[in-house]
Amino acid sequence: MSRPWRNAIVIGILLVLAIAVPRLGLPAFYVSLLTQTWIYGILAMSLDLLVGFTGLVSFMQAAFFGIGAYVVAIGATRYHFVDFWPTLLAAILIAGLVAAAFGALALRSEDEGFIIITLALNEIIWGLAYQWVSMSGGDNGITGFLRVNVGPFHTTDNSGFYYLSLAALIVCLTLLVLMVRSPFGLVLVGARERPRRMAALGYNVWLFRYLALIIAGMFAAVAGVLFAYYNEFVGPGSLSLDTTVQVLIMVILGGTGTLIGPLLGAGILVFLSNALSDITQRWVLILGAVYVVTVMYAPDGIVGLVNRLMAKARSRRELSLAAGAAVGGAFHSGEGPK
Amino acid sequence: MGNAFYLQNVLGGLAHGSLLFLIAAGFTLIFGLMRIINLAQTAFYLLGAYVGLSLGLHGVNFWVAGMAGGVVATVVGLAIYGIFLHRYHASPLTALLLSLGFALIIDDGSLAIWGGDPQSIAPPHMFAESIHLGSLVFPEYWLALIVVSTVIAAGLLVFQQRTKFGAIIRAAVDDEEMARGLGIDVNRAFYFVFALGAFLAGLGGYLGGPITSAYPGLDGELLPLAFAIVIIGGMGSLEGAFIASMLIGLVNTFGRALFPELSYFTIFLPVALIMAIRPQGLFGRKLQ
């Protein structure tokens, strides 16, 4: 079976499974964990566009997630701005504008400087959410707004919200995959690997990175909008350093530059945090340790690890096939180790 | 808002800046020498605060408890650097990501040992009173902290500029390969600077304790301030770190008093402007 076919079948099966989940009679608890996975998955993939494909380790992705969430909450509670689509559009636009301003500042530095500056910029937004009590509700956050139905999705129902998040995930994943495979995405990767050569080829490396920052910010805002509706609550924690760190861990644990890896990482973190917090209070400590081991021994994350193991198995099989042929073909050659 | 208001906030701001300097000094030195952004730096601060607190509760002298906090932070820091971080010299990003993991581990480990309630730290007996000057009232300890931090800053500068080991460190910052070629044991300088950075942060944790107190998440709150300081002061610059610490301390204190809803904004907006105009900071050299 050729690879595209195999991939298509795998994707089809996963999709059917994902759609079937709320009807399998699983406890509602698992449906809500999966809903969170899809939402954090969008956020983690948006960060992967920067970390994995563009080579920019941004510490301000939580800010755009939070902006999306606060647009929902502030819009609904202070400006009677409650329709889903206008809210989503406003969130994406505002996040894009802030990303355009922050990106222009942050891209004046590279590498370590970029990390430091993005972290500081994230704090501006966090500081507003935390301290501007009359607007953001401060530490108490904002409640008093409700989920709204979107098209066919009855979101007040948890399985309805599950499908909304799944649909959003599929749309975002498709858009991101198309983007990274487009010439635009190839230039991003090229500029990550060989910025000078790309510049010499006539590409405006700065502009491509800048656009990637803005686009990633917009995707993060989509995740933030869903997150706000899902919880029917928004607090400054959603755009704190903790969120940044968790999302970064999702991306690295799953595998940078793979999109699907960060989604996997999001699932692992969501499920692990729930499972572990039942058993132990020290789940952050365990997370830290898992993360350290990942960075040290599997820097390309789980997807990278699996790819490496599969490549090894494949080359061993090919090697044994070749060896079998070389022995003289006296034995039929299908007997490689499985 | 008379003069007393301004004077009190100036003193409070300088005291706040003094404790920030103890974090930022190590942060900037470690970055300057090894190009490692040590995200565990404020976790060392928290660790030092808690260790000192435990000793203080058993009647240990304030300054001794502070030193002990620094020593424990040094031991933990050296273990992290010696076992893990030093292997990733060639890739500062990996070192940064690792230090983030250790920050989580230290933070949650402290929560396990010392619990989640904020714990206040009493200033030493000899500076426990307040000073009254007309309508101006402020704790004596503020002055003591400002003096201690300034003396440490001066000591670090003299060490860096006037001693042979300081010269070795400066040489390694400027051109590591050349320093190695000259037979200088650069690795020793790495270990030393990392240990020094951890010690200062750990010491700062207990000395700053009477102002910040100690609670889980304090490290996460202080980290952005340390970042702001190195952005303003310039990565790797000790003088810059000192001046920027005081500046951030003042802006933070006045911001809280004058614009309680926007005090973070008042810190990070100037930071953003400085980044736009001088990405290398006010005192820093351009990052290569």
Side-chain angles (χ1 to χ4, degrees), chain A residues 178-223:
Chain A
L178 290 177
M179 194 186 309
V180 299
R181 290 187 178 174
S182 72
F184 175 79
L186 296 179
V187 173
L188 288 183
V189 175
R192 180 193 71 196
E193 293 297 320
R194 294 274 184 276
R196 286 199 186 156
R197 196 172 294 175
M198 292 306 285
L201 286 170
Y203 292 102
N204 185 343
V205 169
W206 182 90
L207 183 66
F208 276 88
R209 287 179 177 162
Y210 185 58
L211 290 175
L213 275 173
I214 296 173
I215 293 167
M218 292 171 151
F219 276 102
V222 173

Side-chain angles (χ1 to χ4, degrees), chain A residues 108 116-117 131 134 285 291, chain B residues 97 235 261 263-264 275-276:
Chain A
R108 290 178 59 88
I116 292 180
I117 285 169
Q131 290 178 320
S134 54
L285 203 146
Y291 166 77
Chain B
L97 295 175
M235 288 301 258
E261 293 215 314
S263 67
Y264 258 90
M275 287 183 304

Side-chain angles (χ1 to χ4, degrees), chain B residues 117-129:
Chain B
D117 295 326
Q119 307 200 42
S120 57
I121 294 173
H125 292 303
M126 61 175 137
F127 300 114
E129 303 293 317

Side-chain angles (χ1 to χ4, degrees), chain A residues 219-238:
Chain A
F219 276 102
V222 173
V225 167
L226 291 172
F227 189 71
Y229 281 124
Y230 173 73
N231 292 309
E232 297 181 337
F233 164 76
V234 175
S238 61

Side-chain angles (χ1 to χ4, degrees), chain B residues 31-182:
Chain B
F31 179 82
L33 183 60
M34 293 169 257
R35 303 197 67 84
I36 294 176
I37 297 177
N38 177 27
L39 295 179
Q41 190 71 9
T42 50
F44 293 153
Y45 178 96
L46 188 63
L47 186 64
Y50 276 129
V51 169
L53 187 77
S54 295
L55 291 174
L57 289 177
H58 287 88
V60 176
N61 171 282
F62 182 87
W63 305 102
V64 175
M67 295 294 271
V71 169
V72 171
T74 308
V75 171
V76 173
L78 274 180
I80 291 173
Y81 181 73
I83 300 173
F84 301 98
L85 295 189
H86 85 104
R87 298 193 213 173
Y88 298 97
H89 236 277
S91 65
L93 179 61
T94 309
L96 174 145
L97 295 175
L98 275 179
S99 74
L100 182 62
F102 290 110
L104 289 180
I105 292 173
I106 294 174
D107 188 63
D108 204 48
S110 311
L111 179 64
I113 300 173
W114 287 286
D117 295 326
Q119 307 200 42
S120 57
I121 294 173
H125 292 303
M126 61 175 137
F127 300 114
E129 303 293 317
S130 288
I131 294 176
H132 296 258
L133 287 174
S135 58
L136 173 69
V137 184
F138 63 91
E140 286 175 337
Y141 183 66
W142 285 3
L143 282 185
L145 184 60
I146 294 167
V147 170
V148 167
S149 188
T150 309
V151 168
I152 289 176
L156 285 174
L157 265 180
V158 168
F159 165 76
Q160 191 191 42
Q161 302 295 334
R162 293 272 181 269
T163 66
K164 190 178 164 203
F165 201 67
I168 287 177
I169 292 172
R170 277 183 289 134
V173 168
D174 278 344
D175 193 337
E176 189 191 320
E177 270 180 40
M178 185 57 89
R180 281 185 198 277
L182 290 170

Side-chain angles (χ1 to χ4, degrees), chain A residues 24-211:
Chain A
L24 292 178
L26 289 172
F29 174 66
Y30 290 102
V31 176
S32 81
L33 288 188
L34 276 173
T35 309
Q36 290 176 43
T37 301
W38 307 147
I39 296 172
Y40 276 115
I42 296 172
L43 179 60
M45 292 186 314
S46 79
L47 182 60
D48 192 29
L49 178 66
L50 299 176
V51 175
F53 293 92
T54 318
L56 293 173
V57 182
S58 169
F59 271 67
M60 60 181 178
Q61 208 57 5
F64 306 118
F65 181 67
I67 286 173
Y70 273 96
V71 166
V72 172
I74 292 174
T77 56
R78 300 202 200 293
Y79 300 105
H80 305 292
F81 199 72
V82 286
D83 289 336
F84 179 80
W85 294 108
T87 305
L88 182 68
L89 201 67
I92 292 174
L93 272 179
I94 293 173
L97 284 176
V98 177
F102 282 9
L105 289 172
L107 279 179
R108 290 178 59 88
S109 301
E110 285 184 16
D111 303 329
E112 298 91 343
F114 180 83
I115 291 172
I116 292 180
I117 285 169
T118 49
L119 195 149
L121 289 170
N122 196 97
E123 286 314 294
I124 293 183
I125 303 295
W126 179 82
L128 285 178
Y130 186 64
Q131 290 178 320
W132 195 4
V133 179
S134 54
M135 180 55 90
S136 67
D139 207 11
N140 296 325
I142 300 176
T143 52
F145 61 96
L146 299 172
R147 294 178 190 174
V148 288
N149 288 338
V150 184
F153 303 110
H154 292 279
T155 56
T156 40
D157 183 25
N158 270 337
S159 69
F161 202 89
Y162 171 91
Y163 286 120
L164 174 67
S165 323
L166 182 62
L169 174 81
I170 292 169
V171 170
C172 290
L173 179 60
T174 310
L175 286 175
L176 283 166
V177 167
L178 290 177
M179 194 186 309
V180 299
R181 290 187 178 174
S182 72
F184 175 79
L186 296 179
V187 173
L188 288 183
V189 175
R192 180 193 71 196
E193 293 297 320
R194 294 274 184 276
R196 286 199 186 156
R197 196 172 294 175
M198 292 306 285
L201 286 170
Y203 292 102
N204 185 343
V205 169
W206 182 90
L207 183 66
F208 276 88
R209 287 179 177 162
Y210 185 58
L211 290 175

